[in-house]
Amino acid sequence: MTTHQLIAALGSSFAAGPGIEPVADPAAMRSQRNYAHQLADRLGAKLVDLTVSGATTATVVDTPQEVLGGAVFPPQLDGVPEDADVVTVTAGGNDLQFAPALLWVAWARLEPTSPMVPTLGAMFSDGVPAPTQQAIEQATAGLVRIVEAVRAKAPNARVMLVDYLTVLDENSMSSTPFTDLEIGQFLEIQDAIGQVFSDAAARTGADLISASSLSAGHAVGSVEPWVQPFYQVMERTGGSFHPNEAGMTAIAAELERVLTS
């Protein structure tokens, strides 16, 4: 890539980087050290970072997103430059309610009187949602729709699907407030997210950066975690179970390798 090229970044909190200093946009919970920013720095490229924590595939494509505090973000696709050379996409985890479920169970276990419990629990009247085939298909279709919409908006862009870093593995039990059963439920959702990305890449021909594979051995509780632990502090809890700076750096390095090879 040359210094004149342009990257656009789309996606949810796993792209935005909540809890990683310095902060680029407090309302979006977006970091200046997320993988898109680090990639642009590595390549000397310009960056349009449209990522917003809490985004779904719908809010990337065509639905405005209201965040805590009342700020409203337009659909992320609206901001994609028509002359973008590379567009990165990390979305779909919130379609399967992965991060909210992790937070809800952790808060309910450790501080059941916290206002976070009813706030998050409104989504989970039936408990942690199993990733049914219908839910997986809907999330996959949403990701496919993003790729197709990006290609219509920026026809010369190379679309890079970046899946979610590994948050939990079989060894995470002692480092989280979760039971064996809950870890199993979350691993099922985590696996489903990986399936969503591989299926969407297969259907669209978009590049797939498998952050989930890249981060094997770097889950919560590992010697060198690439994700943040659970923060039982209101001001920091949004970064819980999300990529840390080391995880973002690993993704940026892999993107650089793929784009320059």
Side-chain angles (χ1 to χ4, degrees):
M1 293 182 69
T2 72
T3 54
H4 303 294
Q5 288 193 296
L6 178 59
I7 299 168
L10 304 175
S12 66
S13 51
F14 274 65
I20 303 173
E21 299 286 343
V23 177
D25 185 326
M29 296 172 67
R30 181 191 302 149
S31 171
Q32 291 180 35
R33 294 291 294 163
N34 63 25
Y35 72 71
H37 276 86
Q38 292 195 46
L39 176 65
D41 289 346
R42 286 166 174 265
L43 297 174
K46 293 179 181 175
L47 173 67
V48 177
D49 189 353
L50 301 159
T51 59
V52 181
S53 293
T56 62
T57 57
T59 62
V60 173
V61 178
D62 56 15
T63 305
Q65 180 184 349
E66 184 173 356
V67 298
L68 287 175
V72 178
F73 290 89
Q76 294 179 29
L77 187 74
D78 292 2
V80 174
E82 294 179 3
D83 59 344
D85 298 289
V86 174
V87 179
T88 59
V89 181
T90 300
N94 288 324
D95 296 46
L96 296 174
Q97 299 177 294
F98 184 45
L102 288 164
L103 279 172
W104 173 60
V105 174
W107 275 104
R109 174 75 27 76
L110 296 174
E111 197 174 328
T113 59
S114 166
M116 290 295 290
V117 177
T119 298
L120 292 162
M123 301 170 63
F124 303 112
S125 55
D126 297 323
V128 175
T132 63
Q133 279 308 121
Q134 181 183 7
I136 291 170
E137 175 52 37
Q138 285 177 339
T140 305
L143 204 50
V144 168
R145 206 158 65 98
I146 292 173
V147 175
E148 292 172 343
V150 167
R151 286 174 171 162
K153 181 83 180 284
N156 295 320
R158 184 172 177 181
V159 184
M160 317 286 291
L161 295 177
V162 182
D163 80 351
Y164 284 51
L165 280 176
T166 297
V167 177
L168 303 172
D169 61 21
E170 301 292 351
N171 301 313
S172 297
M173 179 81 181
S174 60
S175 305
T176 69
F178 307 132
T179 64
D180 274 343
L181 175 63
E182 289 159 353
I183 290 273
Q185 290 175 303
F186 291 133
L187 290 177
E188 196 179 346
I189 302 173
Q190 186 171 266
D191 288 346
I193 295 171
Q195 182 185 335
V196 165
F197 273 82
S198 60
D199 288 354
R203 291 185 199 179
T204 60
D207 289 271
L208 176 61
I209 302 298
S210 183
S212 56
S213 300
L214 197 66
S215 55
H218 294 280
V220 171
S222 65
V223 176
E224 189 187 341
W226 286 357
V227 285
Q228 300 173 67
F230 175 62
Y231 297 121
Q232 198 176 338
V233 183
M234 295 290 277
E235 297 75 34
R236 297 191 67 192
T237 200
S240 303
F241 308 119
H242 280 77
N244 61 22
E245 187 171 345
M248 291 295 192
T249 300
I251 294 173
E254 179 64 7
L255 277 160
E256 180 188 28
R257 185 191 69 77
V258 171
L259 286 167
T260 58
S261 62

